[in-house]
Amino acid sequence: MGDDAGGTLTKVAELFEGPGEMRALMRAMDWSRTKLGPVDRWPSSLRTMVGFMLSSRFPLLLWWGPEMLQVYNDAFRPILRDKHPALGRPASEVWPEVWDFAGPIAHGVLAGGPATWNEDVQLFINAGGIAEETYFTFSYTPAPDDEGGVGGVLNIVQETTAKVHAERQIRTLHELSTHAVGARSEDEAARLVVDGLAKNALDLPFVLLFRVDDAGGAPTLLASAGLGDAGDAAAPEAWPLAAASAHEVVIDDLASRFPSLPAGPSGARPERALAMPLSRPGQARAHAVLVVGSSPHRALDERYRPLFVEVAERVTALLATARAYEDETRRAEALAELDRGKTAFFGNVSHELRTPLTLILGPLEDALARPERALRGEDLEAAHRSALRLLRLVNSLLDFARLEAGRLEVSFAPTDLAALTTDLASSFRSLIERASIALVVDCPPLRAPVYVDAAQWEKIVLNLLSNAFKFTFEGEIAVSLREQGERVTLAVRDTGTGIPAAELPRLFERFHRVEGAPGRSVEGTGIGLSLVKELVELHGGRVRVESVVGRGTTFEVELPTGAAHLPAARVVTEASRATAPGTSPLLLEAERWTGDAPERPPTDEGAPAVGVGAERATILVADDNTDMRQYLTRLLTPRWRVEAVSDGEAALERARTLAPDLVLSDVMMPRLDGVALLRELRADARTREIPVVLLSARAGEEALLEGFSKMADDYLVKPFAARELVARVQTHLEMARLRRRWSRELARANQELEAFSYSVSHDLRAPLRAIDGFSAALLQEHGAGLSLPARHHLDRVRAAAQRMGTLIDDLLGLARITKVGLRRAPVDLTALARKVLAEIEAREPAREVEWQVADGLHTVADARLVTVVLENLLGNAWKFTGKKPHARIEVGSEPDREGAAAFFVRDNGAGFDMKYVDKLFAPFQRLHAQRDFDGTGIGLATVQRIVARHDGRVWANGAEGEGATFYFTLDGEGGEVADG
């Protein structure tokens, strides 16, 4: 007895010897004051378990006896948080907040039940004054007593909180990007962004997005989620948005400010929120503010705060992209409208130019051929009239150019407007009366002179009179001038053919003509009325029209009196003495409509040139015409840095060294034309993303189609409007900037995710092999002595380890797809598919599957990667036909929607619901339960990535219970070629 007692005391003394805080704490502890009692009276099984625990570096917790008195090791200490020290205390007393969940499980094991396994269990542990959200993977294992029964429960535990939080945050950012990336407007993006963030209510209990850049206006709520009944929190004035527009603001004490905020899973309400500015590059203040609630179950520490920062950056980028899309849409609409106007103008003006040029060139060519017939008589008069007509057209166009550039030279002088208007109208009297139409001029004297530019007023009155005469065949034309308060109104009324109501809104548009309108002539450019509108607005007035088809039309021009509304620098005090000229080009042209035109001397009108201003970046101009190069350089230099070269080869060399932001190239050039230059730029990785705008005089020819087929960003036909060119260049520079930014964002996110998965996958391989290997050894060496349930549990452990190993191998294979060099070569797809099917069939010889591979399937691709595609697609077809009594698999090809050949793999298996088709090719997406069909959810993602590397596409059709068909294309041209 003495020896046994001495040996026991020696063992007790050695139990707590050695390094470690817990050993020191246990040595110093008076165990007799706990329910476990003095250590020398502990059962040997308890001492053995404690010794084992203290020597382990894995977190271990032992609950001993009916009250589950607690003993733990150093590795378990961090899990306790501020509950440490808790030695010798009942588990229910240490863990009251989780005992409703953990207690029944532990008592079941203590009562003789089997060991348990729980993975990533969410538990809210009281620590640091909050119910902290934590996650654990743990196993409750029976601990034997000295009599062979169960003396306690060994809790083998691993905290996975950081892992679960990281995975959740990655899912949130991924969801955010994919959910809102297709938004077509900033408002739509805001709604999608908030909807995406609301899916992670654990980390982001509530979300609000405000717009704050409405030109100094009040902030507006764009979208919100997670507020529940706390509607008062949606008001912009509830948050410090002014301060948050400049920097991040943390808002505390939310529970008292918004007591109706929804509570979290443990009943706690958010106490803190972050208001973060969303600023685009170059902005001093934000255009939007994101307000996000902080979880009441997490400390705002270095693991949690980066989520808010990353979310703000992603939301900023998504809103910027949506706004850029909106801006681009508006610019595209404006450009389209400009293009329609340009098309209408060229259609109209071509006719206007051809007629007078024919009348000028015809007599000139005749006189040159026969010198004795010098120009005289009607030939000379026709040439003279045609020249005047061309001059009027040119002057009208120059008036527009000067108006657009703000360089029309005008001087507003006090003018006897009644007398001037009467003189102008009277110049048409003889012509109108010869056409048997009455002209009524009613312009009584005004109380005071009106400030106008007499030359521009002449154009206004004569254009309106010319228009009235053109469309009036009988009745009268009346011109009146009336003073009404502080305004003067000119009215030109006719009893002509009238204007359809549908045409009235577009009547003053540039180059617009009312098609099919009955008039004295079909000639016209659609310039006159739009010029009238521009000139009236230049005087601070407005013009309007009323018309009834068949009854006539009235134009009214309304001008303010006085000079306060006019630019002071353009106002002169000396009264205008301007009178109507004896002859106007408009009058001469109108005389030709009657076939009775007297001889008149010409009127000379001149016009200055127009300039265009712009902002900076690098543009490479390529054109072999020196004048055109210099013109483009002058046009673009005010906005951007311009380098000009004279041919395509020089442009290609310069583009590779300069890396310009945009290439503006002529199509017809020596050595290398514009289309060939575009092809070379797109084939070179260094220049592939540079936007290219082509210029050509060959509208509608094959060059246009070829340019777009080779992926030109835009194509302009000479002659082009300077403003249109500048607008298109600006648009493509902005879109290129956005593409580069998004490419960097996506590349960085993909790299981070790939690195994370690759690293984790490698690190998990070793422990999984150990689990599988030791489980196999245990079954082989001690299987005979194990109970049937124990062997069953070990089999499940091995199966889980092997399944995880397969998943890891698939993940690593997916990651390697983007790293392997692409080796394109002819591939016999028929032979390859038959080989893969034969190998699959050999693995399950008992199954009878009818399979058929079409003859003559060939492509140009990387045979190694195509094999992986077929292994995944055919492996899926084999797997999902497993429950069909008459399984069928078919491989072949058929035309896709563009008529090109697409390969397919078809089966009559489980199929899928087409509403989930968008999920098929995403990693880890499985449309069938694991118990029905095993798998990792990686295979189709691998297929998609391989097909994308071949510049192809993959898609699927299916129906539940009826089978599925997977299609894919492999572009056989170009691509990366690896050695060997």
Side-chain angles (χ1 to χ4, degrees):
M1 287 290 291
D3 289 343
D4 288 344
T8 298
L9 290 176
T10 300
K11 291 177 182 177
V12 168
E14 293 174 351
L15 183 60
F16 302 138
E17 290 300 323
E21 181 182 344
M22 292 307 300
R23 281 191 169 95
L25 185 62
M26 289 182 178
R27 282 198 302 271
M29 186 168 176
D30 184 359
W31 289 96
S32 64
R33 302 173 67 87
T34 71
K35 292 187 178 181
L36 282 173
V39 178
D40 59 353
R41 297 182 184 175
W42 287 4
S44 60
S45 55
L46 174 59
R47 291 198 298 271
T48 300
M49 288 301 299
V50 170
F52 163 72
M53 288 170 52
L54 292 176
S55 62
S56 175
R57 298 176 62 182
F58 202 84
L60 298 174
L61 168 69
L62 179 65
W63 291 328
W64 188 261
E67 294 185 71
M68 296 195 178
L69 303 175
Q70 184 162 287
V71 183
Y72 50 92
N73 64 359
D74 286 275
F76 190 83
R77 264 205 54 209
I79 296 175
L80 282 164
R81 274 67 172 174
D82 54 7
K83 298 177 184 292
H84 175 76
L87 292 168
R89 294 170 56 194
S92 59
E93 178 184 308
V94 178
W95 307 98
E97 67 272 34
V98 301
W99 201 244
D100 285 348
F101 168 78
I105 302 175
H107 280 294
V109 174
L110 188 65
T116 65
W117 173 262
N118 294 276
E119 191 169 353
D120 292 337
V121 175
Q122 182 190 53
L123 297 173
F124 292 91
I125 296 177
N126 294 331
I130 65 170
E132 182 183 347
E133 180 200 13
T134 60
Y135 291 84
F136 297 94
T137 294
F138 58 87
S139 172
Y140 288 171
T141 304
D145 59 14
D146 288 356
E147 286 75 37
V150 179
V153 176
L154 178 64
N155 186 353
I156 305 170
V157 61
Q158 176 71 53
E159 181 168 359
T160 58
T161 302
K163 183 202 77 166
V164 173
H165 284 170
E167 291 173 350
R168 196 163 70 204
Q169 291 175 193
I170 290 173
R171 282 197 304 272
T172 296
L173 296 175
H174 176 74
E175 176 72 23
L176 181 62
S177 297
T178 57
H179 195 60
V181 73
R184 295 295 184 264
S185 69
E186 190 175 43
D187 288 350
E188 182 188 2
R191 292 192 299 272
L192 293 174
V193 158
V194 170
D195 289 346
L197 295 177
K199 295 181 180 181
N200 185 3
L202 286 171
D203 290 326
L204 311 170
F206 63 87
V207 183
L208 303 102
L209 186 55
F210 295 96
R211 181 185 289 129
V212 294
D213 67 338
D214 288 344
T220 56
L221 177 68
L222 293 175
S224 65
L227 297 180
D229 296 329
D232 52 342
E237 56 270 19
W239 305 97
L241 300 181
S245 298
H247 56 81
E248 179 186 294
V249 177
V250 178
I251 304 102
D252 292 313
D253 197 23
L254 294 186
S256 61
R257 296 176 61 181
F258 309 113
S260 299
L261 280 174
S266 72
R269 300 181 190 278
E271 283 286 346
R272 175 176 287 183
L274 278 76
M276 296 168 289
L278 307 182
S279 302
R280 293 190 298 271
Q283 281 188 319
R285 297 183 67 82
H287 74 286
V289 171
L290 182 68
V291 178
V292 185
S294 176
S295 169
H297 307 297
R298 296 187 65 178
L300 197 58
D301 54 21
E302 66 278 0
R303 281 199 300 112
Y304 189 21
R305 182 179 284 273
L307 172 63
F308 295 93
V309 176
E310 187 68 24
V311 163
E313 291 178 355
R314 296 285 179 93
V315 174
T316 300
L318 289 167
L319 292 182
T321 300
R323 176 172 287 194
Y325 185 90
E326 274 188 293
D327 293 343
E328 173 64 14
T329 300
R330 283 193 291 268
R331 283 193 291 269
E333 290 172 354
L335 287 172
E337 184 62 31
L338 182 62
D339 195 56
R340 285 192 293 271
K342 182 188 71 174
T343 303
F345 164 69
F346 282 123
N348 295 339
V349 84
S350 63
H351 178 267
E352 292 299 300
L353 291 174
R354 286 175 186 273
T355 301
L357 283 174
T358 300
L359 293 175
I360 294 171
L361 292 174
L364 284 175
E365 289 170 354
D366 189 39
L368 288 171
R370 291 182 289 176
E372 70 278 5
R373 295 190 56 183
L375 284 178
R376 62 175 64 88
E378 181 57 33
D379 282 347
L380 183 60
E381 291 175 6
H384 176 244
R385 288 192 299 269
S386 297
L388 287 176
R389 186 174 172 189
L390 288 175
L391 178 62
R392 185 185 69 80
L393 176 60
V394 170
N395 284 336
S396 296
L397 293 174
L398 289 174
D399 281 340
F400 270 118
R402 290 194 292 265
L403 281 167
E404 282 193 349
R407 296 175 58 182
L408 185 64
E409 295 295 332
V410 292
S411 296
F412 302 102
T415 304
D416 184 346
L417 199 62
L420 177 59
T421 304
T422 298
D423 287 346
L424 290 169
S426 297
S427 69
F428 263 75
R429 182 176 297 279
S430 174
L431 174 63
I432 291 174
E433 291 179 350
R434 281 203 310 271
S436 301
I437 301 170
L439 174 63
V440 179
V441 180
D442 181 14
C443 302
L446 305 177
R447 290 178 300 170
V450 179
Y451 283 81
V452 298
D453 182 296
Q456 309 310 326
W457 184 253
E458 176 189 337
K459 293 171 186 174
I460 292 171
V461 174
L462 294 185
N463 265 291
L464 292 178
L465 270 171
S466 173
N467 190 75
F469 178 66
K470 184 176 183 178
F471 295 102
T472 302
F473 295 92
E474 60 184 12
E476 70 176 24
I477 296 173
V479 179
S480 63
L481 192 68
R482 292 290 183 268
E483 192 171 14
Q484 299 169 326
E486 302 297 320
R487 307 188 79 80
V488 173
T489 303
L490 166 72
V492 177
R493 179 181 54 82
D494 66 59
T495 56
T497 56
I499 304 166
E503 295 286 349
L504 291 176
R506 301 192 61 196
L507 199 60
F508 296 104
E509 290 183 10
R510 297 175 183 183
F511 316 123
H512 178 70
R513 297 174 60 195
V514 180
E515 296 297 333
R520 295 182 182 275
S521 171
V522 296
E523 295 174 344
T525 60
I527 290 177
L529 291 179
S530 56
L531 182 60
V532 166
K533 178 176 181 291
E534 298 273 359
L535 293 175
V536 169
E537 290 176 349
L538 190 66
H539 283 77
R542 61 179 179 174
V543 60
R544 56 181 176 269
V545 61
E546 294 179 356
S547 187
V548 178
V549 174
R551 295 177 59 183
T553 302
T554 300
F555 286 91
E556 288 188 350
V557 173
E558 191 177 84
L559 298 183
T561 57
H565 61 285
L566 299 170
R570 298 296 181 92
V571 175
V572 297
T573 56
E574 183 179 352
S576 171
R577 295 184 176 86
T579 58
T583 303
S584 161
L586 278 168
L587 181 58
L588 290 175
E589 185 174 340
E591 287 176 341
R592 303 304 302 166
W593 299 339
T594 65
D596 181 18
E599 188 174 348
R600 304 284 186 181
T603 299
D604 187 18
E605 298 182 15
V610 201
V612 178
E615 73 185 56
R616 297 202 89 74
T618 301
I619 300 177
L620 178 62
V621 172
D623 199 302
D624 60 321
N625 185 285
T626 302
D627 291 334
M628 180 58 72
R629 284 201 311 275
Q630 292 174 350
Y631 169 68
L632 291 173
T633 301
R634 288 196 305 272
L635 184 64
L636 301 173
T637 295
R639 285 182 182 248
W640 301 291
R641 176 173 171 261
V642 178
E643 290 215 10
V645 294
S646 60
D647 60 65
E649 281 192 10
L652 181 61
E653 180 181 351
R654 197 74 187 101
R656 287 169 172 168
T657 56
L658 177 65
D661 296 290
L662 182 139
V663 173
L664 183 63
S665 173
D666 189 22
V667 170
M668 298 300 294
M669 292 186 296
R671 297 207 296 169
L672 193 68
D673 66 31
V675 173
L677 169 62
L678 174 61
R679 189 184 303 115
E680 292 295 328
L681 291 173
R682 291 291 182 255
D684 192 330
R686 295 170 292 179
T687 57
R688 185 173 298 148
E689 302 300 325
I690 297 175
V692 178
V693 178
L694 295 179
L695 303 175
S696 177
R698 298 192 299 152
E701 297 185 13
E702 60 274 11
L704 176 64
L705 296 175
E706 189 177 4
F708 278 121
S709 69
K710 295 301 181 182
M711 298 179 63
D713 295 87
D714 213 339
Y715 194 102
L716 274 79
V717 178
K718 297 176 182 177
F720 49 84
R723 290 182 61 188
E724 179 185 7
L725 175 65
V726 171
R728 294 200 187 194
V729 168
Q730 178 68 50
T731 296
H732 290 296
L733 286 172
E734 178 66 11
M735 294 304 294
R737 184 188 67 79
L738 290 172
R739 283 195 299 269
R740 288 194 299 270
R741 178 175 176 181
W742 268 103
S743 296
R744 288 193 298 269
E745 289 285 332
L746 291 173
R748 182 169 66 85
N750 286 334
Q751 286 172 358
E752 291 174 355
L753 186 59
E754 185 176 87
F756 171 79
S757 63
Y758 204 82
S759 174
V760 169
S761 299
H762 269 292
D763 291 343
L764 287 175
R765 274 176 143 180
L768 284 171
R769 287 174 181 153
I771 293 171
D772 184 40
F774 284 119
S775 299
L778 187 60
L779 281 170
Q780 183 176 355
E781 296 173 13
H782 305 287
L786 294 175
S787 65
L788 190 61
R791 296 185 62 182
H792 175 67
H793 290 323
L794 276 175
D795 285 334
R796 292 184 63 186
V797 167
R798 288 201 68 200
Q802 289 167 358
R803 190 163 60 248
M804 181 61 79
T806 301
L807 174 60
I808 289 171
D809 289 338
D810 287 350
L811 274 172
L812 292 173
L814 181 64
R816 280 192 293 266
I817 291 301
T818 58
K819 295 180 173 63
V820 65
L822 204 60
R823 299 172 178 169
R824 291 189 185 272
V827 176
D828 184 343
L829 205 67
T830 296
L832 195 56
R834 288 171 179 167
K835 177 175 179 287
V836 170
L837 278 167
E839 291 172 353
I840 296 173
E841 193 175 51
R843 293 197 291 267
E844 289 189 67
R847 277 197 63 191
E848 292 186 5
V849 177
E850 176 188 349
W851 54 266
Q852 180 180 356
V853 180
D855 294 322
L857 301 179
H858 296 279
T859 187
V860 177
D862 188 314
R864 302 164 303 166
L865 297 181
V866 175
T867 301
V868 175
V869 168
L870 291 175
E871 286 173 346
N872 278 286
L873 294 180
L874 293 171
N876 271 1
W878 189 275
K879 176 171 63 179
F880 291 114
T881 56
K883 297 184 179 182
K884 286 283 183 176
H886 303 290
R888 294 192 312 276
I889 298 173
E890 181 185 1
V891 181
S893 70
E894 58 188 39
D896 66 6
R897 59 193 179 203
E898 281 92 27
F903 303 109
F904 67 80
V905 173
R906 182 175 292 134
D907 66 68
N908 66 337
F912 61 89
D913 191 329
M914 282 296 288
K915 68 182 179 182
Y916 300 118
V917 70
D918 292 337
K919 295 183 177 181
L920 276 177
F921 301 100
F924 312 115
Q925 295 293 329
R926 305 188 70 252
L927 304 188
H928 300 278
Q930 184 77 39
R931 65 178 179 273
D932 296 328
F933 302 98
D934 62 1
T936 62
I938 302 287
L940 291 180
T942 303
V943 169
Q944 193 275 338
R945 190 166 294 187
I946 292 173
V947 170
R949 287 210 63 197
H950 284 79
D951 299 322
R953 60 190 187 94
V954 60
W955 68 101
N957 288 320
E960 284 188 307
E962 297 179 17
T965 303
F966 286 84
Y967 300 89
F968 63 95
T969 63
L970 299 168
D971 185 359
E973 295 182 5
E976 188 179 302
V977 180
D979 293 331

